[in-house]
Amino acid sequence: QGRYLGDISNNSQTSHLPVCIPLHDPTGDVIATITGSINPDYFQELFRPAHELNPVRVELYSYAGQKLIAGRIDYQTATDAFATDLTDKKDYSKKIAPFTDNLADTVFSNYLPDSEFGTFQQPAKHTNSQPDQIITSYRSTSPLPLVVNVHLDLKRGLAAWHKELKVILTVFIALAFAIAIGGSAIALSLLRKYRMEGQIRLLSSAISSTANAVFITDNQGYIQWTNKAFEQLTGWPTATIANRTPSFLNSGQHDKAFFQHLWQRITAGNVWRGQVTNKTRDGRHVIVDQTITPILDKEGCVSNFIAVHEDVTLRTKAERQVHYLAQHDPLTGLPNRHSFSLALDNWLSGPVIISKAVLLVDLDHFKTINDTLGHQAGDDVLCQVTQRMQTILPEQAQLFRLGGDEFSILLEAIDLNDIIHAVEALLEQLIRPLEFEDSHFTLSGSIGITFGAAGQSSASVLLKQADMAMYKAKHSGRNTFSVFDENMDYMMQRHVELEQGMRDALASNRGFKLAFQPVIRASDLKPVSAEVLMRWQTDDGQWVSPGEFIPVAEDIGLILELGHWQMEQLTTQMRQWQATSLATINISLNVSPVQLARDDIAQRLLYWLNHYGIPTSRITVEITETALMGHSNKVAGNLATLRNQGVQISIDDFGTGYSSLSYISELDAQVLKIDASFVQKIGQHQKSSKVVNEEEVILATIGLARNLNMAVVAEGVETQVQLEFLQQAGVDYLQGYYFAKPMFEPELLCFIEQAAQQNTEPKSELQGS
Ligand code: C2E
Ligand code: CA
Ligand code: CA
């Protein structure tokens, strides 16, 4: 410790470092010594910035490695200073443990020969609550022979930095987080924006290139934009129609109200859909399914309208065609049965004041034309007839073709007579000669009329009534009309009842039975044969007369089935008679004209006779004159076959029809039956009262039969007077209640057996039986 001039007043408190430097002459001898003193505060001042902030210890060493001063500038001083300076950071200072004098002092001398200054790191001597690593910086202070060492506790020295680093890191992480969130939000919104833009692009290109015609207008209806399909559909390019209203599309097919309603809807912000017929630039009509959608702005006001059109012209035309075909008859173009029902329903809901007539027109013998001249001729005739009716009918009349040769007319008239006149005019038209290729022929019609009362009649009932009236017209000899009356209604109901009853009876093989009425030989009044007559007892025990059910069966064709049943039944019974007194009896079988014209009746009968071994000569077939009137090949064929095979033919009900004599002679029938209506008049007329009375007819008929070599049967004989007259007139056989009523098989057997026993007894007893 030496003198220090700098601070005399307080020198006792001051440590000084004496420095002594010898001066040498050129020969090396010491010629002087320079002595000095160094105030260590200088160094403290020198390193203040460092140790005020950091846990730093500054030491002064000689070159030789001797520690010269650690004194006032040791760590404790520094720490105190540090702590004083950072009073507000006490926590921080507490963590700073004081340096102990435990460092390897001379380590720097290892480096000194290489470099006058440098930094190295060394572990602390004690690890116990001591810093792990010490960083030491050294610097020689040439020309003074001193080395300044500065030690820094790495951990504590970096503590502040670590803290800052933490804050920075926290801030950085927070920042990164914020950036991440913000970034993704931006990214998302961008993505959405791009997506929307993409969608809008997609939409706009879809609308541009869609097959549907689209135009967009402003809210006043002025066109702003159209797509390609619109130009293709309407022929109008956007440029030519921009800022125009779509009224140039107006085809005139829709009324003002239509467009008013449309406009009202869309301006109220509603979508409008509907089918519209538009006009194209070249004047064609196109049918479109149109949808007009109002586009609303943010305020909810209509800013634009988008109109989308789907061309449905072809589809609609096809639909209309299908609709037309469903309602019309393709041959004549007339509305069909379906339309008729609709029109009739509609018609009946109209005003009551006028007479409304439903006419049913059926062509007579139309089938013959189809059969003989072919279907082409049939079609041709139907068209010609349609045309004729159309020209003659009053304007308000509606004509329908119900099918086949059946037409219907709805006719309105103030006066009933007008309707009758119209019907008569129709019949006149129908009977005018027709032509097909080289053939000329006439056709007639039968017309049924019924009158509808609005609100009271139903369409189906009216049609049925007209149908009944038409049948009546047919039965009254055709080429005429008939007006429905309530009695027909009863007949029709009865018709339906009988039809169902017969079908059931045939299906269950119950109810039908064969009755037999004996035929008596006039010469000896012996029964020689029997006529088969059909009997029918319904389920409720009622006997229905064949006079009633046979015509119905003929009408509906059920007579064929009934005939089959009867034939099989009869031949089976005849077979069973072989060992009885009926073994040789002859049987007359009634055959309807319908059977002759539509069935292979001859073949069928021959089959059954052959099947049961019954000789054909035991059978007589009774046919009526009506069967001969049709001139049908089938009838002629059946009759020829029967005759050729030995079956006898008898003409029934002779005198009631209008058969030509020539045809009868051609037919070569063996028997002629005089109708009961003549027989029953026997003895009831004064000779003078009629030009030709029934008795004379009978006589003439017998004469005719003789000429034609036919046997004569008189039927319906009820009295002795009739019997005597007929016997005298020379009739061969007799039939009637006077001898026997129709009876079932057991009674017939008895009757025949009794007759055989009374073989030798007087006639009168037989007559009485
Ligand atoms: P029809 O062939 O002229 O038969 C004679 C009808 O006169 C029978 O009536 C018979 O019972 C009746 N009759 C017989 N004698 C007398 C008499 O003395 N006085 C009166 N008032 N009537 C007498 P039925 O059995 O009611 O038959 C009526 C008609 O029904 C038959 O007339 C015939 O046309 C038809 N018929 C009956 N059975 C058949 C059948 O199996 N097939 C066909 N196709 N027609 C049949
Ligand atoms: Ca008969
Ligand atoms: Ca008869």
Side-chain angles (χ1 to χ4, degrees):
Q1 201 165 18
R3 269 173 38 215
Y4 177 63
L5 298 173
D7 190 2
I8 299 160
S9 61
N10 195 20
N11 65 355
S12 63
Q13 294 296 310
T14 309
S15 292
H16 293 275
L17 184 66
V19 179
C20 183
I21 301 167
L23 284 175
H24 299 274
D25 70 359
T27 61
D29 291 334
V30 174
I31 54 169
T33 304
I34 299 169
T35 307
S37 121
I38 296 165
N39 183 353
D41 285 349
Y42 165 72
F43 293 101
Q44 183 153 317
E45 285 304 310
L46 199 66
F47 288 98
R48 182 185 294 274
H51 69 65
E52 276 191 351
L53 285 170
N54 297 304
V56 168
R57 173 167 156 179
V58 183
E59 291 165 333
L60 207 60
Y61 286 82
S62 71
Y63 261 91
Q66 188 192 358
K67 189 194 279 182
L68 299 173
I69 287 176
R72 287 187 61 201
I73 57 159
D74 72 358
Y75 178 72
Q76 195 57 52
T77 318
T79 308
D80 290 346
F82 189 72
T84 322
D85 284 357
L86 300 163
T87 43
D88 55 334
K89 298 176 182 173
K90 269 190 187 129
D91 284 357
Y92 184 68
S93 66
K94 253 186 234 162
K95 284 180 191 158
I96 301 169
F99 270 109
T100 48
D101 197 11
N102 57 2
L103 291 169
D105 293 333
T106 55
V107 176
F108 72 87
S109 52
N110 298 337
Y111 302 99
L112 201 56
D114 293 334
S115 169
E116 296 216 316
F117 59 90
T119 301
F120 57 87
Q121 201 171 329
Q122 59 185 324
K125 268 183 193 166
H126 307 287
T127 53
N128 207 6
S129 80
Q130 289 294 318
D132 296 333
Q133 294 286 326
I134 304 294
I135 288 186
T136 302
S137 279
Y138 70 91
R139 177 176 280 271
S140 69
T141 60
S142 179
L144 296 176
L146 300 172
V147 176
V148 179
N149 264 8
V150 178
H151 304 287
L152 171 73
D153 176 346
L154 191 62
K155 198 172 169 187
R156 279 178 292 182
L158 289 176
W161 183 77
H162 273 302
K163 205 183 168 199
E164 263 169 34
L165 188 67
K166 243 191 212 162
V167 172
I168 290 169
L169 261 177
T170 310
V171 169
F172 181 77
I173 287 171
L175 212 67
F177 204 65
I179 288 172
I181 289 177
S184 35
I186 291 169
L188 263 177
S189 84
L190 281 176
L191 195 68
R192 208 173 290 153
K193 189 180 158 205
Y194 284 133
R195 242 188 225 159
M196 261 175 67
E197 279 177 2
Q199 272 175 358
I200 289 169
R201 250 201 310 280
L202 200 69
L203 274 175
S204 88
S205 72
I207 293 175
S208 301
S209 56
T210 183
N212 290 343
V214 178
F215 69 73
I216 299 177
T217 73
D218 62 12
N219 60 3
Q220 298 300 306
Y222 291 98
I223 292 176
Q224 306 296 307
W225 183 88
T226 64
N227 70 352
K228 270 210 189 88
F230 182 84
E231 183 181 339
Q232 277 161 9
L233 180 71
T234 65
W236 294 98
T238 309
T240 59
I241 53 168
N243 282 319
R244 286 175 62 182
T245 63
S247 56
F248 56 85
L249 294 173
N250 195 340
S251 63
Q253 297 278 306
H254 309 281
D255 56 11
K256 247 193 184 152
F258 176 85
F259 292 108
Q260 268 168 2
H261 171 252
L262 183 160
W263 189 245
Q264 260 166 20
R265 244 194 102 72
I266 59 171
T267 47
N270 298 310
V271 175
W272 182 89
R273 278 195 191 87
Q275 207 168 76
V276 185
T277 304
N278 282 338
K279 193 180 68 183
T280 64
R281 196 177 190 179
D282 53 18
R284 275 180 307 113
H285 282 188
V286 284
I287 305 163
V288 291
D289 269 350
Q290 184 166 326
T291 306
I292 305 179
T293 312
I295 305 297
L296 306 181
D297 60 17
K298 276 182 194 153
E299 280 77 47
C301 300
V302 175
S303 63
N304 295 86
F305 297 109
I306 298 187
V308 180
H309 310 75
E310 194 189 343
D311 184 0
V312 292
T313 312
L314 287 179
R315 194 186 79 195
T316 312
K317 279 188 179 162
E319 279 170 2
R320 284 180 190 169
Q321 178 74 3
V322 167
H323 187 70
Y324 178 86
L325 287 177
Q327 308 230 317
H328 289 80
D329 158 41
L331 176 67
T332 60
L334 289 177
N336 61 12
R337 179 178 285 272
H338 177 66
S339 308
F340 172 72
S341 318
L342 293 179
L344 190 51
D345 280 333
N346 190 33
W347 198 55
L348 288 173
S349 59
V352 206
I353 23 158
I354 18 186
S355 299
K356 294 181 170 184
V358 181
L359 273 56
L360 205 68
V361 183
D362 194 283
L363 304 182
D364 301 328
H365 304 302
F366 173 74
K367 206 177 159 292
T368 320
I369 293 172
N370 255 344
D371 290 348
T372 55
L373 296 174
H375 285 270
Q376 184 55 48
D379 287 355
D380 201 80
V381 164
L382 287 172
C383 290
Q384 288 189 48
V385 164
T386 301
Q387 261 179 9
R388 285 190 188 179
M389 289 198 282
Q390 277 170 331
T391 51
I392 194 88
L393 280 171
E395 206 171 305
Q396 92 294 359
Q398 301 176 62
L399 177 62
F400 304 85
R401 180 177 173 212
L402 303 188
D405 58 344
E406 220 178 52
F407 297 85
S408 178
I409 299 163
L410 298 183
L411 203 59
E412 287 180 0
I414 308 289
D415 190 350
L416 219 143
N417 283 331
D418 294 346
I419 291 176
I420 303 298
H421 286 320
V423 171
E424 282 168 349
L426 262 177
L427 288 173
E428 261 172 47
Q429 276 298 320
L430 290 177
I431 203 142
R432 274 177 41 214
L434 285 159
E435 281 176 33
F436 178 74
E437 290 169 356
D438 294 335
S439 324
H440 294 259
F441 45 87
T442 51
L443 203 69
S444 58
S446 299
I447 302 180
I449 308 170
T450 188
F451 293 98
Q456 286 172 25
S457 323
S458 88
S460 60
V461 167
L462 280 184
L463 192 57
K464 221 160 84 186
Q465 292 179 347
D467 202 50
M468 287 182 232
M470 191 270 287
Y471 268 98
K472 174 85 187 301
K474 286 245 180 228
H475 283 287
S476 345
R478 300 182 159 90
N479 186 28
T480 184
F481 67 88
S482 161
V483 180
F484 170 80
D485 67 57
E486 291 305 320
N487 199 29
M488 288 182 192
D489 202 11
Y490 166 77
M491 303 247 303
M492 194 49 90
Q493 273 174 25
R494 180 71 178 152
H495 194 282
V496 171
E497 207 176 281
L498 291 179
E499 172 176 352
Q500 196 51 49
M502 282 192 283
R503 287 193 196 281
D504 292 348
L506 270 177
S508 60
N509 196 14
R510 213 177 51 218
F512 285 116
K513 267 180 121 176
L514 300 186
F516 301 89
Q517 185 180 32
V519 179
I520 312 295
R521 191 160 49 209
S523 55
D524 56 2
L525 298 186
K526 276 184 188 158
V528 287
S529 67
E531 179 181 2
V532 186
L533 294 162
M534 195 72 112
R535 290 293 174 263
W536 178 32
Q537 189 175 28
T538 59
D539 281 347
D540 51 9
Q542 298 283 321
W543 287 99
V544 185
S545 153
E548 187 179 10
F549 72 77
I550 293 286
V552 176
E554 285 177 335
D555 219 20
I556 60 177
L558 202 69
I559 189 75
L560 305 185
E561 229 177 296
L562 201 59
H564 299 169
W565 177 86
Q566 186 191 40
M567 227 172 251
E568 197 181 338
Q569 189 76 14
L570 175 69
T571 47
T572 311
Q573 288 194 358
M574 287 177 79
R575 159 90 192 180
Q576 289 164 358
W577 291 343
Q578 269 175 359
T580 71
S581 15
L582 296 175
T584 53
I585 199 164
N586 277 302
I587 292 293
S588 293
L589 184 62
N590 291 288
V591 171
S592 140
V594 178
Q595 288 172 285
L596 284 170
R598 285 168 55 187
D599 204 5
D600 290 320
I601 181 148
Q603 291 301 339
R604 189 174 287 271
L605 180 61
L606 292 171
Y607 166 82
W608 284 114
L609 292 176
N610 182 47
H611 185 77
Y612 288 119
I614 302 162
T616 52
S617 59
R618 283 187 60 198
I619 297 288
T620 302
V621 163
E622 294 190 9
I623 62 168
T624 55
E625 288 170 287
T626 17
L628 306 177
M629 284 164 71
H631 305 281
S632 145
N633 288 337
K634 185 109 185 168
V635 173
N638 267 321
L639 293 176
T641 308
L642 290 173
R643 209 176 36 231
N644 293 341
Q645 294 301 314
V647 175
Q648 300 207 38
I649 292 171
S650 163
I651 296 176
D652 204 354
D653 304 340
F654 188 82
T656 57
Y658 304 94
S659 46
S660 78
L661 283 178
S662 70
Y663 195 72
I664 289 182
S665 60
E666 235 171 75
L667 183 68
D668 201 12
Q670 292 94 334
V671 185
L672 197 151
K673 282 181 98 167
I674 298 173
D675 192 68
S677 57
F678 297 101
V679 174
Q680 272 149 20
K681 293 277 160 46
I682 292 171
Q684 293 186 4
H685 295 285
Q686 297 295 328
K687 284 227 161 167
S688 57
S689 70
K690 260 190 176 181
V691 181
V692 180
N693 67 32
E694 281 78 6
E695 288 168 14
E696 288 165 338
V697 173
I698 292 171
L699 293 173
T701 306
I702 294 169
L704 171 78
R706 294 277 167 267
N707 271 326
L708 293 171
N709 212 9
M710 294 165 90
V712 177
V713 183
E715 60 179 353
V717 183
E718 292 181 353
T719 63
Q720 178 78 31
V721 175
Q722 292 162 359
L723 165 65
E724 281 168 8
F725 175 87
L726 292 165
Q727 272 180 323
Q728 278 183 10
V731 162
D732 304 289
Y733 302 97
L734 302 160
Q735 201 182 349
Y737 294 174
Y738 185 72
F739 308 104
K741 288 192 170 177
M743 55 189 80
F744 294 122
E745 189 202 15
E747 293 100 300
L748 179 69
L749 189 61
C750 288
F751 184 85
I752 298 294
E753 275 173 357
Q754 268 180 21
Q757 283 164 16
Q758 291 161 353
N759 210 3
T760 49
E761 288 170 25
K763 286 171 195 171
S764 57
E765 282 187 34
L766 177 67
Q767 287 159 6
S769 69

